[in-house]
Amino acid sequence: MSLTSTLALAAFAEQSNALDLGSGKAPVRLQRSVQLGSGTGAGQADLVWSDRRTIAASGSEDLDLAGVLLDAFGATVTFARIKGLFIAAAESNANDVVIGADATNPWASLLNATGTLTLRPGAACGFLAGDADATAYAVTAGTGDLLQVANSGAGTSVDYDILVIGASA
């Protein structure tokens, strides 16, 4: 099976101000994108996993990036390196979605062992490792492969979408 993917992040802002005889504008654009071919080296990826998930009130789940998740065709996905990650919390959530800081075997390459990222309702986050980097963000099966996703509060469940792109070696 082959995989081709595009990872992209972009932001644009334009500040403007009325002047006596005209107007001034200061546009700012920051964007990065990378095309990944099929494979496991620099500029390549061979695995993708995505899902829409629900976490019960006050609950959490550990996403095992090495050997438990199933791709769209039912094959087990075992990431050795993560090249891109995108997570979006549903706008209808009442609670936040908290990513990271698993108690045992955390995938610490991105957020360290104790770091977390909080997504308020409707928020999204993503990263891309870059095309020249074969190392990307390492996953260590059995000792550093769990990405925890948690519901920040009681009372209601939370929904989120996730997409992970990476390599098997």
Side-chain angles (χ1 to χ4, degrees):
M1 182 180 317
S2 69
L3 172 69
T4 57
S5 54
T6 300
L7 305 172
L9 299 171
F12 177 77
E14 182 174 88
Q15 189 175 20
S16 61
N17 191 20
L19 304 172
D20 288 343
L21 299 175
S23 63
K25 295 182 180 182
V28 178
R29 179 182 307 269
L30 180 59
Q31 60 187 27
R32 298 287 186 271
S33 67
V34 61
Q35 300 279 332
L36 298 176
S38 188
T40 60
Q44 297 178 322
D46 66 339
L47 298 173
V48 63
W49 177 77
S50 64
D51 204 2
R52 175 165 289 152
R53 302 183 69 85
T54 300
I55 301 174
S58 301
S60 67
E61 65 179 345
D62 290 335
L63 301 176
D64 189 335
L65 300 173
V68 174
L69 303 174
L70 302 177
D71 71 11
F73 302 103
T76 301
V77 177
T78 303
F79 290 102
R81 311 205 176 282
I82 303 298
K83 306 252 179 147
L85 172 71
F86 185 83
I87 301 175
E91 290 182 15
S92 60
N93 290 345
N95 299 332
D96 299 336
V97 174
V98 181
I99 301 139
D102 185 70
T104 58
N105 304 331
W107 175 55
S109 294
L110 182 64
L111 295 172
N112 300 314
T114 59
T116 62
L117 180 64
T118 300
L119 296 180
R120 298 186 46 74
C125 71
F127 85 90
L128 53 96
D131 62 349
D133 189 350
T135 303
Y137 292 86
V139 175
T140 306
T143 61
D145 58 355
L146 298 180
L147 175 61
Q148 186 172 85
V149 183
N151 183 336
S152 70
T156 62
S157 62
V158 293
D159 298 318
Y160 71 98
D161 296 334
I162 182 168
L163 170 69
V164 184
I165 297 175
S168 60

